[in-house]
């Protein structure tokens, strides 16, 4: 039985309480475009890449503005807000620090672009993560498994040694498709139940031992099913 060697964290809504900040930035950009975004539309952007979110926003507003220009404006607004207001999700910092103290590798796998992740790392401390894979650095973003596959490749860790922590349906789907069990901490959008995922209300009570147990239980169940 393999042991847990790496935990791959989503960023927005999982490690940091950033979904409301993204929503505020998108509302401001929508207002600049002369429109408004409903809560339902904003919820649909959860877990999506920035270009996909911009495309959705422009379609909902019926705007013919350049997606590239609107994306640039959105990233500028978001970076400003992140630099001033970004906060850890409850329990996330403690869990990351405990994992690293126990010798477990930690990484970020996010749909956010590098410019936003670098701002976030200044707030969180880049030393807490061995690497980060960003949405603008992959050929296919979540829910495609490519971001997780790339992270495992760079870490030199197979899926059997990894666990993902996610909050969105698209991120959970991406990790499961990459063969990684997922601890799901739902935030803005409900995540459907399914194989390869276990749910928790928050990371406040999460411990290294519990993550190791979750990882072991997943692989025992999978090997039992295969047998």
């Amino acid at each position: 039985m393999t042991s847990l060697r790496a935990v791959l964290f989503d960023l927005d809504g999982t490690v940091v309480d950033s979904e409301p900040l993204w929503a505020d930035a998108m509302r401001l950009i929508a207002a600049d475009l002369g429109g408004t975004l409903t809560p339902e539309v904003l919820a649909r952007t959860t877990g999506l890449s920035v270009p996909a979110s911009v495309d959705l926003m422009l379609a909902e507003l019926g705007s013919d503005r350049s997606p590239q220009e609107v994306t640039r404006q959105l990233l500028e607004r978001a970076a400003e807000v992140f630099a001033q207001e970004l906060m850890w999700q409850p329990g996330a910092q403690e869990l990351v620090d405990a994992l690293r103290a126990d010798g477990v590798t930690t990484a970020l796998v996010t749909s956010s672009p590098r410019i936003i992740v670098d701002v976030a790392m200044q707030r969180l401390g880049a030393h807490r993560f061995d690497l980060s894979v960003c949405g603008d650095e992959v050929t296919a973003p979540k829910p495609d498994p490519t971001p997780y596959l790339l992270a495992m490749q760079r870490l030199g860790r197979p899926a059997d040694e990894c666990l993902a922590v996610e909050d969105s349906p698209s991120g959970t789907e991406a990790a499961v498709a990459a063969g990684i069990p997922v601890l799901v901490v739902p935030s803005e959008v409900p995540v459907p139940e399914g194989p390869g995922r276990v749910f928790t209300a928050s990371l406040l009570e999460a411990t290294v031992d519990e993550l190791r147990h979750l990882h072991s239980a997943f692989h025992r169940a999978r090997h039992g099913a295969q047998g």
Side-chain angles (χ1 to χ4, degrees), residues 17-87:
D17 187 18
S18 56
E19 297 294 356
L21 304 184
W22 276 113
D24 288 344
M26 292 192 70
R27 288 191 191 97
L28 289 171
I29 297 300
D32 290 344
L33 295 171
T36 58
L37 295 176
T38 66
E40 291 75 18
V41 171
L42 289 169
R44 288 165 58 193
T45 67
T46 301
L48 293 182
S49 66
V50 172
S53 296
V54 168
D55 287 344
L56 177 59
M57 177 171 61
L58 293 176
E60 289 294 326
L61 296 177
S63 173
D64 59 359
R65 288 283 295 276
S66 163
Q68 292 77 16
E69 175 64 16
V70 174
T71 295
R72 182 189 64 78
Q73 294 174 346
L74 176 61
L75 291 178
E76 288 178 354
R77 287 287 182 92
E80 292 173 359
V81 176
F82 273 42
Q84 298 175 3
E85 301 181 32
L86 191 66
M87 300 291 291

Side-chain angles (χ1 to χ4, degrees), residues 99-159:
L99 286 165
R100 296 188 68 79
D102 203 51
V104 179
T105 297
T106 56
L108 287 175
V109 182
T110 174
S111 294
S112 289
R114 174 58 61 185
I115 185 174
I116 295 296
V117 175
D118 286 346
V119 171
M121 288 299 95
Q122 292 177 16
R123 296 275 293 182
L124 305 182
H127 64 282
R128 289 190 163 94
F129 300 94
D130 292 273
L131 62 81
S132 55
V133 174
C134 303
D136 57 349
E137 298 173 341
V138 294
T139 56
K142 302 174 184 177
D144 190 275
T146 295
Y148 278 105
L149 295 173
L150 180 59
M152 290 189 292
Q153 179 185 23
R154 290 180 176 175
L155 289 173
R157 296 292 183 188

